[in-house]
Amino acid sequence: MAAEEKKGRRTRLDDIAARCGVSISTVSRALAGEKGVRPEIRKLVLETASAVSYALPASVAGKKVMLVASGAAMIDYVRNQFTVYVLEGLNARAAALGIELAMRPVADKGDEARVVAEMRDDPSFGGMLILTVDEEEMLAAAADLGKPVVLVNSDDPYMRLSSVTPCNRSAAFIAAERLIKAGHERILFMLRPGRRTIERRLEGWRDALQHHGLTADADLVLEVDDWLPELGAEAITRLVREKGLSFTAILTAGDSLANGAVRGLQAMGYAVPQDISVMGIDDLPQSAFLNPPLSTVHIPMRELGATALDLLRDMMLGLATPRRRVELACHLVERGSVAAVRHVSAVTEGR
């Protein structure tokens, strides 16, 4: 379909929505024959579409979507359940849309080549979702498939592929600003590097410090080899023993590392949040049951999956061009691990 035709189709969708007094998403779902639209609304939309000579798209019900999940996503599935909730959102939305999801785990380049070939050669697949994949070869191959593809919890730096992620940069900004408003100026940022989504969180931490006239010193960035809480505890313990406590708060790129930081500090005799405040990002359910309960930023995990499938559905129907990067808003969750800063000397005296 030519670009002018697609633009015209979008314009007519707007026109149908305006004439019916409903949202564009309701029009899209009614035209696609999806559940959740009242019969009278569906009838009105179809009659209006006919009146404006709108070419009705084929329903996606019964179509197959391939869900490609990286090794990192599967490891996460076992360790801290972030992927579990993304998949819950995906599966619930697929059931509502009548779409069959076929999962394909990929652990190496051979797996990637096989799933790309299957997707290309099997006409029963109408589109592909790729979960937690950053590898350029995989992204380039997916971009050349000629079928709709949406990245979930990752993005394409060249914008060849559409994607859905949390707004990681603003999530970290929100968290760091909460600590700054509590009086903290030396805020340690702990992360496992390597993924673009996590780099966005590091950028958000820097943004907040710079916005408030503070310096994002290199010695305030602490890298760990994995997301395991025990590695976070070891890293904090080693840092404090070698260099002292030169910060009053810790922000971590994930709740699991915040859990570890709290453990490490408490084992050294520091109280959280009386001596050191700790803030996470993710809002995993178990974070509410830590001691103290973890203040964090909520990532809409289930909504990531649902929104990604909605976007892919629209692409399969020819309703979502050009390619786009969708970021979902995150929000602060106040619990018990953040307090107003104490005087630095009181914290750094040691135990």
mmCIF file of all heavy atoms in Angstrom, residues 166-180 187-191 195-216 220-221 251-253 279 281 297 327 330:
data_model
loop_
_atom_site.group_PDB
_atom_site.id
_atom_site.type_symbol
_atom_site.label_atom_id
_atom_site.label_comp_id
_atom_site.label_asym_id
_atom_site.label_seq_id
_atom_site.Cartn_x
_atom_site.Cartn_y
_atom_site.Cartn_z
ATOM 1 N N PRO A 166 9.284 0.532 28.868
ATOM 2 C CA PRO A 166 8.994 1.570 29.862
ATOM 3 C C PRO A 166 9.856 2.782 29.550
ATOM 4 O O PRO A 166 10.880 2.662 28.869
ATOM 5 C CB PRO A 166 9.409 0.915 31.188
ATOM 6 C CG PRO A 166 10.390 -0.134 30.812
ATOM 7 C CD PRO A 166 10.028 -0.606 29.438
ATOM 8 N N CYS A 167 9.458 3.952 30.021
ATOM 9 C CA CYS A 167 10.314 5.119 29.851
ATOM 10 C C CYS A 167 11.406 5.051 30.918
ATOM 11 O O CYS A 167 11.311 5.646 31.988
ATOM 12 C CB CYS A 167 9.525 6.421 29.964
ATOM 13 S SG CYS A 167 10.512 7.854 29.481
ATOM 14 N N ASN A 168 12.445 4.284 30.598
ATOM 15 C CA ASN A 168 13.494 3.995 31.576
ATOM 16 C C ASN A 168 14.225 5.246 32.043
ATOM 17 O O ASN A 168 14.589 5.365 33.217
ATOM 18 C CB ASN A 168 14.492 3.002 30.964
ATOM 19 C CG ASN A 168 13.906 1.628 30.803
ATOM 20 O OD1 ASN A 168 13.593 0.953 31.770
ATOM 21 N ND2 ASN A 168 13.733 1.196 29.556
ATOM 22 N N ARG A 169 14.435 6.171 31.130
ATOM 23 C CA ARG A 169 15.163 7.379 31.498
ATOM 24 C C ARG A 169 14.379 8.203 32.516
ATOM 25 O O ARG A 169 14.934 8.666 33.517
ATOM 26 C CB ARG A 169 15.464 8.190 30.238
ATOM 27 C CG ARG A 169 16.470 9.317 30.453
ATOM 28 C CD ARG A 169 17.029 9.800 29.129
ATOM 29 N NE ARG A 169 18.047 10.819 29.320
ATOM 30 C CZ ARG A 169 18.937 11.147 28.397
ATOM 31 N NH1 ARG A 169 18.937 10.519 27.226
ATOM 32 N NH2 ARG A 169 19.833 12.096 28.619
ATOM 33 N N SER A 170 13.084 8.382 32.269
ATOM 34 C CA SER A 170 12.296 9.163 33.223
ATOM 35 C C SER A 170 12.084 8.396 34.522
ATOM 36 O O SER A 170 11.959 9.001 35.594
ATOM 37 C CB SER A 170 10.950 9.562 32.609
ATOM 38 O OG SER A 170 10.087 8.463 32.484
ATOM 39 N N ALA A 171 12.044 7.060 34.463
ATOM 40 C CA ALA A 171 11.898 6.260 35.682
ATOM 41 C C ALA A 171 13.049 6.537 36.638
ATOM 42 O O ALA A 171 12.847 6.763 37.847
ATOM 43 C CB ALA A 171 11.831 4.775 35.348
ATOM 44 N N ALA A 172 14.265 6.526 36.111
ATOM 45 C CA ALA A 172 15.434 6.799 36.953
ATOM 46 C C ALA A 172 15.472 8.260 37.391
ATOM 47 O O ALA A 172 15.897 8.575 38.514
ATOM 48 C CB ALA A 172 16.712 6.426 36.207
ATOM 49 N N PHE A 173 15.040 9.154 36.513
ATOM 50 C CA PHE A 173 14.981 10.575 36.875
ATOM 51 C C PHE A 173 14.047 10.777 38.061
ATOM 52 O O PHE A 173 14.375 11.469 39.032
ATOM 53 C CB PHE A 173 14.504 11.388 35.671
ATOM 54 C CG PHE A 173 14.527 12.884 35.890
ATOM 55 C CD1 PHE A 173 15.586 13.646 35.436
ATOM 56 C CD2 PHE A 173 13.493 13.522 36.569
ATOM 57 C CE1 PHE A 173 15.613 15.027 35.643
ATOM 58 C CE2 PHE A 173 13.503 14.890 36.786
ATOM 59 C CZ PHE A 173 14.571 15.650 36.318
ATOM 60 N N ILE A 174 12.865 10.168 38.004
ATOM 61 C CA ILE A 174 11.886 10.272 39.091
ATOM 62 C C ILE A 174 12.475 9.764 40.402
ATOM 63 O O ILE A 174 12.323 10.383 41.462
ATOM 64 C CB ILE A 174 10.613 9.479 38.736
ATOM 65 C CG1 ILE A 174 9.859 10.147 37.586
ATOM 66 C CG2 ILE A 174 9.703 9.317 39.956
ATOM 67 C CD1 ILE A 174 8.786 9.263 36.984
ATOM 68 N N ALA A 175 13.152 8.611 40.333
ATOM 69 C CA ALA A 175 13.725 8.018 41.543
ATOM 70 C C ALA A 175 14.826 8.896 42.121
ATOM 71 O O ALA A 175 14.861 9.161 43.335
ATOM 72 C CB ALA A 175 14.271 6.630 41.214
ATOM 73 N N ALA A 176 15.739 9.349 41.254
ATOM 74 C CA ALA A 176 16.850 10.178 41.733
ATOM 75 C C ALA A 176 16.337 11.501 42.290
ATOM 76 O O ALA A 176 16.827 11.994 43.322
ATOM 77 C CB ALA A 176 17.843 10.420 40.603
ATOM 78 N N GLU A 177 15.346 12.079 41.638
ATOM 79 C CA GLU A 177 14.815 13.347 42.128
ATOM 80 C C GLU A 177 14.154 13.183 43.493
ATOM 81 O O GLU A 177 14.224 14.085 44.337
ATOM 82 C CB GLU A 177 13.840 13.942 41.124
ATOM 83 C CG GLU A 177 13.384 15.342 41.503
ATOM 84 C CD GLU A 177 12.705 16.057 40.365
ATOM 85 O OE1 GLU A 177 11.564 15.661 40.026
ATOM 86 O OE2 GLU A 177 13.301 17.008 39.824
ATOM 87 N N ARG A 178 13.509 12.046 43.723
ATOM 88 C CA ARG A 178 12.926 11.791 45.052
ATOM 89 C C ARG A 178 14.009 11.834 46.125
ATOM 90 O O ARG A 178 13.818 12.413 47.207
ATOM 91 C CB ARG A 178 12.226 10.433 45.056
ATOM 92 C CG ARG A 178 11.821 9.916 46.438
ATOM 93 C CD ARG A 178 10.735 10.782 47.060
ATOM 94 N NE ARG A 178 10.364 10.309 48.391
ATOM 95 C CZ ARG A 178 10.923 10.716 49.529
ATOM 96 N NH1 ARG A 178 11.890 11.638 49.505
ATOM 97 N NH2 ARG A 178 10.522 10.236 50.687
ATOM 98 N N LEU A 179 15.148 11.232 45.835
ATOM 99 C CA LEU A 179 16.252 11.228 46.791
ATOM 100 C C LEU A 179 16.838 12.628 46.963
ATOM 101 O O LEU A 179 17.169 13.045 48.075
ATOM 102 C CB LEU A 179 17.330 10.254 46.321
ATOM 103 C CG LEU A 179 16.924 8.772 46.326
ATOM 104 C CD1 LEU A 179 17.940 7.935 45.557
ATOM 105 C CD2 LEU A 179 16.783 8.260 47.756
ATOM 106 N N ILE A 180 16.959 13.349 45.862
ATOM 107 C CA ILE A 180 17.504 14.715 45.923
ATOM 108 C C ILE A 180 16.607 15.608 46.769
ATOM 109 O O ILE A 180 17.076 16.408 47.585
ATOM 110 C CB ILE A 180 17.672 15.283 44.501
ATOM 111 C CG1 ILE A 180 18.774 14.516 43.762
ATOM 112 C CG2 ILE A 180 18.009 16.775 44.545
ATOM 113 C CD1 ILE A 180 18.819 14.785 42.267
ATOM 114 N N ILE A 187 24.550 10.408 45.528
ATOM 115 C CA ILE A 187 23.666 9.262 45.284
ATOM 116 C C ILE A 187 24.406 8.253 44.421
ATOM 117 O O ILE A 187 24.724 8.523 43.266
ATOM 118 C CB ILE A 187 22.367 9.713 44.584
ATOM 119 C CG1 ILE A 187 21.631 10.764 45.435
ATOM 120 C CG2 ILE A 187 21.471 8.505 44.314
ATOM 121 C CD1 ILE A 187 20.481 11.423 44.702
ATOM 122 N N LEU A 188 24.685 7.097 44.993
ATOM 123 C CA LEU A 188 25.350 6.025 44.257
ATOM 124 C C LEU A 188 24.357 5.357 43.313
ATOM 125 O O LEU A 188 23.210 5.103 43.681
ATOM 126 C CB LEU A 188 25.900 4.991 45.239
ATOM 127 C CG LEU A 188 26.742 3.856 44.636
ATOM 128 C CD1 LEU A 188 28.132 4.361 44.282
ATOM 129 C CD2 LEU A 188 26.841 2.689 45.617
ATOM 130 N N PHE A 189 24.798 5.081 42.084
ATOM 131 C CA PHE A 189 23.944 4.358 41.129
ATOM 132 C C PHE A 189 24.567 2.994 40.853
ATOM 133 O O PHE A 189 25.701 2.901 40.401
ATOM 134 C CB PHE A 189 23.802 5.130 39.822
ATOM 135 C CG PHE A 189 22.762 4.547 38.896
ATOM 136 C CD1 PHE A 189 21.422 4.812 39.085
ATOM 137 C CD2 PHE A 189 23.129 3.704 37.850
ATOM 138 C CE1 PHE A 189 20.452 4.269 38.243
ATOM 139 C CE2 PHE A 189 22.173 3.160 37.009
ATOM 140 C CZ PHE A 189 20.831 3.436 37.204
ATOM 141 N N MET A 190 23.818 1.929 41.154
ATOM 142 C CA MET A 190 24.304 0.568 40.965
ATOM 143 C C MET A 190 23.551 -0.091 39.812
ATOM 144 O O MET A 190 22.327 -0.026 39.738
ATOM 145 C CB MET A 190 24.102 -0.260 42.245
ATOM 146 C CG MET A 190 24.737 -1.660 42.163
ATOM 147 S SD MET A 190 24.230 -2.763 43.534
ATOM 148 C CE MET A 190 24.757 -1.797 44.934
ATOM 149 N N LEU A 191 24.301 -0.746 38.918
ATOM 150 C CA LEU A 191 23.677 -1.367 37.752
ATOM 151 C C LEU A 191 24.499 -2.524 37.245
ATOM 152 O O LEU A 191 25.690 -2.639 37.531
ATOM 153 C CB LEU A 191 23.529 -0.351 36.613
ATOM 154 C CG LEU A 191 24.818 0.016 35.827
ATOM 155 C CD1 LEU A 191 24.452 0.594 34.474
ATOM 156 C CD2 LEU A 191 25.692 0.983 36.605
ATOM 157 N N ARG A 195 22.835 -3.543 28.564
ATOM 158 C CA ARG A 195 21.617 -3.394 27.765
ATOM 159 C C ARG A 195 21.279 -1.911 27.606
ATOM 160 O O ARG A 195 21.470 -1.111 28.514
ATOM 161 C CB ARG A 195 20.431 -4.116 28.413
ATOM 162 C CG ARG A 195 20.614 -5.621 28.542
ATOM 163 C CD ARG A 195 19.260 -6.329 28.548
ATOM 164 N NE ARG A 195 18.563 -6.139 27.281
ATOM 165 C CZ ARG A 195 17.314 -5.653 27.174
ATOM 166 N NH1 ARG A 195 16.645 -5.304 28.251
ATOM 167 N NH2 ARG A 195 16.751 -5.518 25.986
ATOM 168 N N ARG A 196 20.728 -1.567 26.441
ATOM 169 C CA ARG A 196 20.367 -0.176 26.195
ATOM 170 C C ARG A 196 19.313 0.314 27.183
ATOM 171 O O ARG A 196 19.322 1.480 27.587
ATOM 172 C CB ARG A 196 19.870 0.000 24.755
ATOM 173 C CG ARG A 196 20.985 0.094 23.730
ATOM 174 C CD ARG A 196 20.448 0.484 22.366
ATOM 175 N NE ARG A 196 19.602 -0.557 21.799
ATOM 176 C CZ ARG A 196 20.059 -1.575 21.082
ATOM 177 N NH1 ARG A 196 21.358 -1.713 20.890
ATOM 178 N NH2 ARG A 196 19.225 -2.475 20.578
ATOM 179 N N THR A 197 18.368 -0.555 27.551
ATOM 180 C CA THR A 197 17.338 -0.140 28.499
ATOM 181 C C THR A 197 17.941 0.295 29.828
ATOM 182 O O THR A 197 17.474 1.252 30.458
ATOM 183 C CB THR A 197 16.337 -1.285 28.743
ATOM 184 O OG1 THR A 197 17.056 -2.467 29.126
ATOM 185 C CG2 THR A 197 15.528 -1.575 27.493
ATOM 186 N N ILE A 198 18.991 -0.403 30.261
ATOM 187 C CA ILE A 198 19.644 -0.052 31.525
ATOM 188 C C ILE A 198 20.488 1.208 31.368
ATOM 189 O O ILE A 198 20.591 2.025 32.288
ATOM 190 C CB ILE A 198 20.485 -1.236 32.035
ATOM 191 C CG1 ILE A 198 19.588 -2.469 32.240
ATOM 192 C CG2 ILE A 198 21.194 -0.874 33.330
ATOM 193 C CD1 ILE A 198 18.402 -2.234 33.157
ATOM 194 N N GLU A 199 21.090 1.393 30.199
ATOM 195 C CA GLU A 199 21.830 2.632 29.950
ATOM 196 C C GLU A 199 20.899 3.835 30.045
ATOM 197 O O GLU A 199 21.300 4.904 30.500
ATOM 198 C CB GLU A 199 22.497 2.576 28.573
ATOM 199 C CG GLU A 199 23.667 1.595 28.481
ATOM 200 C CD GLU A 199 24.779 1.914 29.466
ATOM 201 O OE1 GLU A 199 25.126 3.111 29.592
ATOM 202 O OE2 GLU A 199 25.285 0.981 30.120
ATOM 203 N N ARG A 200 19.651 3.667 29.619
ATOM 204 C CA ARG A 200 18.681 4.758 29.734
ATOM 205 C C ARG A 200 18.452 5.120 31.209
ATOM 206 O O ARG A 200 18.264 6.291 31.551
ATOM 207 C CB ARG A 200 17.343 4.360 29.107
ATOM 208 C CG ARG A 200 17.389 3.999 27.646
ATOM 209 C CD ARG A 200 17.574 5.185 26.726
ATOM 210 N NE ARG A 200 17.550 4.748 25.342
ATOM 211 C CZ ARG A 200 18.615 4.306 24.654
ATOM 212 N NH1 ARG A 200 19.785 4.267 25.260
ATOM 213 N NH2 ARG A 200 18.517 3.927 23.401
ATOM 214 N N ARG A 201 18.464 4.132 32.073
ATOM 215 C CA ARG A 201 18.284 4.407 33.512
ATOM 216 C C ARG A 201 19.494 5.152 34.074
ATOM 217 O O ARG A 201 19.352 6.052 34.900
ATOM 218 C CB ARG A 201 18.015 3.109 34.269
ATOM 219 C CG ARG A 201 16.719 2.438 33.832
ATOM 220 C CD ARG A 201 16.361 1.189 34.634
ATOM 221 N NE ARG A 201 15.133 0.591 34.096
ATOM 222 C CZ ARG A 201 14.486 -0.426 34.620
ATOM 223 N NH1 ARG A 201 14.940 -0.991 35.740
ATOM 224 N NH2 ARG A 201 13.382 -0.896 34.060
ATOM 225 N N LEU A 202 20.676 4.784 33.627
ATOM 226 C CA LEU A 202 21.877 5.515 34.038
ATOM 227 C C LEU A 202 21.797 6.963 33.570
ATOM 228 O O LEU A 202 22.144 7.896 34.315
ATOM 229 C CB LEU A 202 23.116 4.830 33.459
ATOM 230 C CG LEU A 202 24.467 5.491 33.732
ATOM 231 C CD1 LEU A 202 24.756 5.552 35.222
ATOM 232 C CD2 LEU A 202 25.583 4.741 33.001
ATOM 233 N N GLU A 203 21.324 7.168 32.353
ATOM 234 C CA GLU A 203 21.173 8.527 31.823
ATOM 235 C C GLU A 203 20.169 9.329 32.654
ATOM 236 O O GLU A 203 20.368 10.525 32.895
ATOM 237 C CB GLU A 203 20.717 8.464 30.367
ATOM 238 C CG GLU A 203 21.787 7.926 29.422
ATOM 239 C CD GLU A 203 21.215 7.518 28.068
ATOM 240 O OE1 GLU A 203 19.991 7.680 27.856
ATOM 241 O OE2 GLU A 203 21.992 7.051 27.213
ATOM 242 N N GLY A 204 19.083 8.677 33.088
ATOM 243 C CA GLY A 204 18.088 9.372 33.897
ATOM 244 C C GLY A 204 18.643 9.821 35.232
ATOM 245 O O GLY A 204 18.309 10.915 35.729
ATOM 246 N N TRP A 205 19.486 8.989 35.847
ATOM 247 C CA TRP A 205 20.167 9.361 37.100
ATOM 248 C C TRP A 205 21.034 10.590 36.874
ATOM 249 O O TRP A 205 20.990 11.553 37.643
ATOM 250 C CB TRP A 205 20.995 8.168 37.587
ATOM 251 C CG TRP A 205 22.005 8.452 38.649
ATOM 252 C CD1 TRP A 205 21.773 8.590 39.992
ATOM 253 C CD2 TRP A 205 23.423 8.605 38.467
ATOM 254 N NE1 TRP A 205 22.958 8.822 40.658
ATOM 255 C CE2 TRP A 205 23.986 8.823 39.749
ATOM 256 C CE3 TRP A 205 24.264 8.560 37.357
ATOM 257 C CZ2 TRP A 205 25.353 9.022 39.927
ATOM 258 C CZ3 TRP A 205 25.632 8.748 37.534
ATOM 259 C CH2 TRP A 205 26.159 8.979 38.809
ATOM 260 N N ARG A 206 21.812 10.573 35.775
ATOM 261 C CA ARG A 206 22.665 11.730 35.459
ATOM 262 C C ARG A 206 21.813 12.978 35.210
ATOM 263 O O ARG A 206 22.147 14.076 35.664
ATOM 264 C CB ARG A 206 23.515 11.436 34.219
ATOM 265 C CG ARG A 206 24.621 10.426 34.427
ATOM 266 C CD ARG A 206 25.631 10.537 33.297
ATOM 267 N NE ARG A 206 26.669 9.514 33.389
ATOM 268 C CZ ARG A 206 26.730 8.447 32.612
ATOM 269 N NH1 ARG A 206 25.826 8.265 31.662
ATOM 270 N NH2 ARG A 206 27.700 7.561 32.761
ATOM 271 N N ASP A 207 20.730 12.802 34.463
ATOM 272 C CA ASP A 207 19.844 13.938 34.164
ATOM 273 C C ASP A 207 19.377 14.622 35.440
ATOM 274 O O ASP A 207 19.376 15.858 35.536
ATOM 275 C CB ASP A 207 18.613 13.464 33.384
ATOM 276 C CG ASP A 207 18.918 13.050 31.959
ATOM 277 O OD1 ASP A 207 20.019 13.365 31.464
ATOM 278 O OD2 ASP A 207 18.053 12.407 31.350
ATOM 279 N N ALA A 208 18.940 13.821 36.411
ATOM 280 C CA ALA A 208 18.391 14.381 37.645
ATOM 281 C C ALA A 208 19.462 15.140 38.427
ATOM 282 O O ALA A 208 19.213 16.255 38.922
ATOM 283 C CB ALA A 208 17.783 13.278 38.505
ATOM 284 N N LEU A 209 20.634 14.551 38.536
ATOM 285 C CA LEU A 209 21.715 15.225 39.259
ATOM 286 C C LEU A 209 22.066 16.546 38.587
ATOM 287 O O LEU A 209 22.183 17.589 39.243
ATOM 288 C CB LEU A 209 22.942 14.320 39.340
ATOM 289 C CG LEU A 209 22.816 13.062 40.213
ATOM 290 C CD1 LEU A 209 24.097 12.241 40.143
ATOM 291 C CD2 LEU A 209 22.499 13.418 41.658
ATOM 292 N N GLN A 210 22.236 16.511 37.280
ATOM 293 C CA GLN A 210 22.610 17.727 36.565
ATOM 294 C C GLN A 210 21.503 18.775 36.611
ATOM 295 O O GLN A 210 21.765 19.975 36.719
ATOM 296 C CB GLN A 210 22.974 17.371 35.122
ATOM 297 C CG GLN A 210 24.254 16.552 35.017
ATOM 298 C CD GLN A 210 24.496 15.969 33.641
ATOM 299 O OE1 GLN A 210 23.728 16.204 32.707
ATOM 300 N NE2 GLN A 210 25.575 15.208 33.510
ATOM 301 N N HIS A 211 20.262 18.334 36.557
ATOM 302 C CA HIS A 211 19.120 19.249 36.623
ATOM 303 C C HIS A 211 19.115 20.019 37.936
ATOM 304 O O HIS A 211 18.680 21.182 37.985
ATOM 305 C CB HIS A 211 17.815 18.453 36.471
ATOM 306 C CG HIS A 211 16.582 19.291 36.556
ATOM 307 N ND1 HIS A 211 16.195 20.156 35.554
ATOM 308 C CD2 HIS A 211 15.625 19.395 37.533
ATOM 309 C CE1 HIS A 211 15.068 20.762 35.895
ATOM 310 N NE2 HIS A 211 14.700 20.323 37.090
ATOM 311 N N HIS A 212 19.597 19.385 39.002
ATOM 312 C CA HIS A 212 19.612 20.026 40.317
ATOM 313 C C HIS A 212 20.990 20.583 40.670
ATOM 314 O O HIS A 212 21.256 20.890 41.841
ATOM 315 C CB HIS A 212 19.140 19.031 41.371
ATOM 316 C CG HIS A 212 17.669 18.737 41.284
ATOM 317 N ND1 HIS A 212 16.714 19.528 41.876
ATOM 318 C CD2 HIS A 212 16.994 17.753 40.635
ATOM 319 C CE1 HIS A 212 15.512 19.033 41.612
ATOM 320 N NE2 HIS A 212 15.651 17.957 40.868
ATOM 321 N N GLY A 213 21.863 20.728 39.675
ATOM 322 C CA GLY A 213 23.167 21.341 39.896
ATOM 323 C C GLY A 213 24.154 20.478 40.634
ATOM 324 O O GLY A 213 25.125 20.990 41.215
ATOM 325 N N LEU A 214 23.942 19.153 40.621
ATOM 326 C CA LEU A 214 24.847 18.219 41.295
ATOM 327 C C LEU A 214 25.732 17.526 40.263
ATOM 328 O O LEU A 214 25.416 17.461 39.075
ATOM 329 C CB LEU A 214 24.040 17.178 42.082
ATOM 330 C CG LEU A 214 23.073 17.748 43.123
ATOM 331 C CD1 LEU A 214 22.227 16.641 43.734
ATOM 332 C CD2 LEU A 214 23.837 18.503 44.215
ATOM 333 N N THR A 215 26.833 16.978 40.726
ATOM 334 C CA THR A 215 27.803 16.349 39.833
ATOM 335 C C THR A 215 27.630 14.839 39.830
ATOM 336 O O THR A 215 27.594 14.214 40.896
ATOM 337 C CB THR A 215 29.241 16.683 40.269
ATOM 338 O OG1 THR A 215 29.403 18.106 40.298
ATOM 339 C CG2 THR A 215 30.250 16.091 39.285
ATOM 340 N N ALA A 216 27.526 14.273 38.624
ATOM 341 C CA ALA A 216 27.419 12.819 38.484
ATOM 342 C C ALA A 216 28.827 12.233 38.381
ATOM 343 O O ALA A 216 29.297 11.854 37.310
ATOM 344 C CB ALA A 216 26.591 12.468 37.249
ATOM 345 N N LEU A 220 30.577 7.457 41.627
ATOM 346 C CA LEU A 220 29.235 7.181 42.128
ATOM 347 C C LEU A 220 28.500 6.148 41.280
ATOM 348 O O LEU A 220 27.313 5.897 41.511
ATOM 349 C CB LEU A 220 28.415 8.475 42.179
ATOM 350 C CG LEU A 220 28.793 9.462 43.299
ATOM 351 C CD1 LEU A 220 27.998 10.750 43.154
ATOM 352 C CD2 LEU A 220 28.577 8.841 44.678
ATOM 353 N N VAL A 221 29.181 5.574 40.307
ATOM 354 C CA VAL A 221 28.598 4.507 39.488
ATOM 355 C C VAL A 221 29.264 3.193 39.868
ATOM 356 O O VAL A 221 30.476 3.050 39.780
ATOM 357 C CB VAL A 221 28.786 4.778 37.986
ATOM 358 C CG1 VAL A 221 28.218 3.624 37.156
ATOM 359 C CG2 VAL A 221 28.114 6.087 37.592
ATOM 360 N N LEU A 251 20.707 4.425 44.523
ATOM 361 C CA LEU A 251 19.669 4.131 43.550
ATOM 362 C C LEU A 251 20.169 2.979 42.691
ATOM 363 O O LEU A 251 21.292 3.031 42.188
ATOM 364 C CB LEU A 251 19.378 5.347 42.664
ATOM 365 C CG LEU A 251 18.458 5.114 41.460
ATOM 366 C CD1 LEU A 251 17.091 4.615 41.904
ATOM 367 C CD2 LEU A 251 18.322 6.398 40.636
ATOM 368 N N THR A 252 19.368 1.943 42.547
ATOM 369 C CA THR A 252 19.795 0.801 41.746
ATOM 370 C C THR A 252 18.930 0.695 40.494
ATOM 371 O O THR A 252 17.760 1.095 40.478
ATOM 372 C CB THR A 252 19.696 -0.520 42.536
ATOM 373 O OG1 THR A 252 18.322 -0.840 42.758
ATOM 374 C CG2 THR A 252 20.422 -0.411 43.857
ATOM 375 N N ALA A 253 19.492 0.126 39.437
ATOM 376 C CA ALA A 253 18.790 -0.013 38.165
ATOM 377 C C ALA A 253 17.738 -1.111 38.198
ATOM 378 O O ALA A 253 17.007 -1.290 37.221
ATOM 379 C CB ALA A 253 19.784 -0.271 37.038
ATOM 380 N N MET A 279 16.813 3.163 47.021
ATOM 381 C CA MET A 279 15.676 3.234 46.098
ATOM 382 C C MET A 279 15.923 2.274 44.940
ATOM 383 O O MET A 279 17.036 2.182 44.419
ATOM 384 C CB MET A 279 15.538 4.663 45.565
ATOM 385 C CG MET A 279 14.512 4.840 44.456
ATOM 386 S SD MET A 279 12.811 4.961 45.043
ATOM 387 C CE MET A 279 12.845 6.608 45.756
ATOM 388 N N ILE A 281 14.216 0.342 41.146
ATOM 389 C CA ILE A 281 13.385 0.570 39.962
ATOM 390 C C ILE A 281 12.876 -0.794 39.512
ATOM 391 O O ILE A 281 13.672 -1.713 39.329
ATOM 392 C CB ILE A 281 14.172 1.229 38.807
ATOM 393 C CG1 ILE A 281 14.741 2.580 39.215
ATOM 394 C CG2 ILE A 281 13.291 1.379 37.564
ATOM 395 C CD1 ILE A 281 15.641 3.221 38.159
ATOM 396 N N VAL A 297 10.347 2.605 41.795
ATOM 397 C CA VAL A 297 9.550 3.166 40.706
ATOM 398 C C VAL A 297 8.858 2.010 40.000
ATOM 399 O O VAL A 297 9.501 1.029 39.614
ATOM 400 C CB VAL A 297 10.417 3.972 39.724
ATOM 401 C CG1 VAL A 297 9.592 4.396 38.513
ATOM 402 C CG2 VAL A 297 11.001 5.200 40.413
ATOM 403 N N GLU A 327 6.939 4.464 24.628
ATOM 404 C CA GLU A 327 7.461 4.391 25.989
ATOM 405 C C GLU A 327 6.308 4.583 26.967
ATOM 406 O O GLU A 327 5.557 5.548 26.854
ATOM 407 C CB GLU A 327 8.538 5.450 26.217
ATOM 408 C CG GLU A 327 9.798 5.225 25.394
ATOM 409 C CD GLU A 327 10.911 6.175 25.760
ATOM 410 O OE1 GLU A 327 10.613 7.342 26.134
ATOM 411 O OE2 GLU A 327 12.077 5.782 25.672
ATOM 412 N N CYS A 330 6.029 5.583 34.016
ATOM 413 C CA CYS A 330 6.287 4.874 35.271
ATOM 414 C C CYS A 330 5.974 5.835 36.419
ATOM 415 O O CYS A 330 5.936 7.049 36.231
ATOM 416 C CB CYS A 330 7.741 4.421 35.342
ATOM 417 S SG CYS A 330 8.295 3.521 33.860
#
